[in-house]
Amino acid sequence: MPVEPEEEGLLYPPGPDTRVIELRVHGAMGTRPEALVSAVAAVDVAGDGVGRIVQPADRLLRPAPGPVLRAEGQSIPRVVEGYAWAGMTSGGAAKAAWALLFPFALANVAHWMLPPVPSGHQLATRLGLAARTLLRLAAVLLTVLLVTQAAVVSLDLLAAQCLAPGSPCLAGTVPNWLRETYLFRPAVGLVPVVLTIYVLHRISCVAWEVADTGNPPPTPPNSRVQLPGTNLVADPDTPTLRALHLVAALATVALLPLGGPLTMPAEPVAVALWTLALILLVVALLGVLLLDDPRGASPVGAGAWLRRALGPWTRRALFATGGVLVAAAAASRDPLMLTGTRQTVEAVAAVLIVVVVLFGVLLVPAARIARREWRGRPRELRPWAGGWMAAPVVAVAALLGGGFGAGLGYAVRKLLGTEGMQVPPGYEPVTLLWGAGAVLGVVVAAVGAPFALVKLRRIESAEARVLGSPVREWRLAGWQRRHLHHVVLACAGALCAGAVVAVYLRFTDVPTWLRPLSTIGVLALGALAGGLLRAVYNAARAPDSARQLGVLADLACFWPREAHPIVPPCYAMKVAPELAARTVSHLREPGTRVVLVGESHGSLLVVVAAARLLNSLNEPERRRIGVMTVGSQLQWAYTRAFPAVLPFTALGGLAAELGTRWRSLCRGTDPLGGAVTTWRRQVFENSMLGMGFRPDGTPGPLSAATCGPSGALVLGLDHWLPDPPRGPTPGRRWTPGLQRHDNYSADPEWDRAVAMAAGLDPADPPTLLQLPK
């Protein structure tokens, strides 16, 4: 229910038992509990050790009250709590190794980037179904490609070529009699690949436990929602989809010693095994194509029938069949001759390219149909690439998957140090592609940087002058927020154009003058793989030393398993319900008001939790919750990258439900966080004006901005903080210099925003903004 105009200010006068719970949620890269609650020490007060509820602690490590909140002309007791979820994405070798599955995570994220399906539009519904089907097919091909590339290293380069009897490779390490021992070489070639499949199985089975919080039933995926994230749900078909991926991988491994899926062996026993493995592979691929969540989640339909047919016992039988076929294929092909890994890896890559191209083509009409919902919005509020952003993300996932495999193959061949060992012929164009991409990136950066600097100097920024911020920093941060997706699109486009050239060169001779690019590509892929492995190693030893790796992991692990089941578990499905449950427990005390504070990426978790609460609480309880987003990416990134899950209209719905109890802190110098509820800001006749969400959730022109006591500029629900701060404030921590994305809680405007989000009048009233002439 939207907030009525008379409800926009006070909820009701604070009583003697009124207190405010400030429940903070940190962003990506993890945050120490002490820093989260702005204290020198913190202690756990709830949680299971993975999701931790912490409060400031005194010298005896007992929970301590927070600083009082000055509002309504009195001191309101405040308790500062923090929800620390960094343990779900960082710490330990196992979690650090999740970064190696980054191509899988990109394919899964692409599902949540699909354009929304308008209700009742038959063509859009069919296009959405076809897009999800192709995306699942691309995901399973990525799994098969990874397993096949691992087999290129262990089965082809090592077992079939390096360990062949009489080969000089590792002659001083592996004697000739051992090479001729029965099943030695097949075991060396296949055991690492089977172990890889087992590791994928273990990773995909990890899930975070969360108690049932009684949240309202979710809406179907990819449908229009009224509040952000209400269709962010786990796919019930994930166990079945996981089984189909692993069965496809086992069937492919069984085919490799037999010559691959494109070559039928001559021996009768091998022919029988080859046929069974091929049938198993086809069954797995057909299952992936037919298994769609909207159909499977309904009580009738092909998806529901397939889910019943692929129950736990059926999945176990398929696993057992795949394992037996791998063992039988290894036993039937001893002594190990040339394998089918080379032609198989190229065939899988070729099919993957075709699927990605079809997906991109099919997404064009789907995005054009969906654009009717955002056609009248300002350009800076429309989805990235017109709702087509999922296509380049899938393309980058495929290119990364192929590039990592090619780089690994060349690195292992160099490590073995034997001349004459052959890698798949398609690897050379791949390295040529990445070499050309590396050179092109350097050239574009060198040539384009001066033009970008010139353009930045021409951008006017009246807001920066008003807030006393360096105009250069304001321009640079704004440019990064506006053009990040353009950079991603340019890189994806360049790599895709190079992929077309690489496919052409696969069937022709590579010109001599291009061969140095292949060498550069090998070095670039080696550096990329080596840097990633080093980051994984550092993250396993000291989690605090790999914060950049944590950013990628935190962003990728936010989304539930949908298109690709072999990705790290989704922490949002644990954090949001537990935040909602903690809020409900506080609201049992009649005088308590809860303000959910999300910093940076944590703002996304906070609005999802708030949506769950608003869908389940009664009206009096809903009036006692507020939201504060800090340095948030909700407007400039999330609503534009994920238009079906976090549509812009959903932010308007949240603003309508909360009214003035939603506040947002931002800085113009912050390259990561920006405005959330306002846009089209300008200075006119000594007044700061702009468009934004009004208290009833409708977009429109806002009243002139006001200036807070600390110099913050308040326009609508957004609080623009001066950077650097105006000066030290008595009783508050002082942080000199430019703050950008850090130290938001040290600004005096923080307490004013918390009070307003709690439905209280702040202690110091704002004044009408007067700009210098």
Side-chain angles (χ1 to χ4, degrees), residues 617-697:
L617 296 177
N618 57 42
E619 184 63 21
E621 292 176 335
R622 288 156 59 136
R623 295 183 182 183
R624 290 193 285 133
I625 64 172
V627 169
M628 189 169 83
T629 52
V630 181
S632 175
Q633 303 86 22
L634 281 172
Q635 184 191 102
W636 75 266
Y638 293 135
T639 57
R640 303 183 67 190
F642 307 98
V645 190
L646 300 165
F648 177 75
T649 54
L651 295 185
L654 186 63
E657 295 287 348
L658 294 173
T660 57
R661 300 194 313 280
W662 182 10
R663 317 306 300 182
S664 177
L665 302 187
C666 49
R667 295 190 183 106
T669 56
D670 186 349
L672 300 179
V676 175
T677 65
T678 61
W679 55 91
R680 293 288 175 93
R681 294 167 300 277
Q682 58 181 328
V683 176
F684 180 73
E685 293 185 354
N686 294 337
S687 297
M688 178 65 66
L689 305 174
M691 304 286 289
F693 291 126
R694 292 174 287 202
D696 61 353

Side-chain angles (χ1 to χ4, degrees), residues 157-342:
L157 289 179
L158 183 60
Q161 298 186 55
C162 179
L163 297 181
S167 172
C169 178
L170 300 179
T173 305
V174 183
N176 204 54
W177 63 267
L178 185 58
R179 302 176 187 224
E180 297 176 352
T181 302
Y182 179 65
L183 292 183
F184 171 72
R185 292 168 61 212
V188 170
L190 292 176
V191 168
V193 184
V194 174
L195 288 177
T196 300
I197 297 176
Y198 176 74
V199 171
L200 295 179
H201 170 70
R202 295 295 299 172
I203 289 176
S204 61
C205 288
V206 176
W208 303 120
E209 297 182 359
V210 57
D212 184 13
T213 58
N215 285 313
T219 56
N222 297 109
S223 64
R224 195 172 180 178
V225 295
Q226 295 181 348
L227 292 176
T230 53
N231 61 349
L232 192 68
V233 295
D235 186 358
D237 293 326
T238 296
T240 304
L241 192 61
R242 176 196 310 129
L244 293 174
H245 273 244
L246 299 177
V247 167
L250 286 172
T252 304
V253 173
L255 287 169
L256 295 179
L258 302 173
L262 304 180
T263 304
M264 181 182 293
E267 301 83 356
V269 175
V271 169
L273 295 174
W274 181 86
T275 304
L276 290 175
L278 190 61
I279 292 174
L280 190 64
L281 178 60
V282 171
V283 168
L285 294 179
L286 285 177
V288 169
L289 290 174
L290 295 175
L291 196 65
D292 188 55
D293 181 66
R295 290 176 175 267
S298 61
V300 295
W305 174 86
L306 184 62
R307 184 192 298 173
R308 290 193 300 267
L310 294 175
W313 289 104
T314 305
R315 296 197 294 265
R316 294 189 184 101
L318 291 175
F319 282 140
T321 303
V324 170
L325 285 175
V326 171
S332 66
R333 303 301 287 176
D334 191 76
L336 187 65
M337 306 301 290
L338 290 178
T339 64
T341 54
R342 302 179 197 175

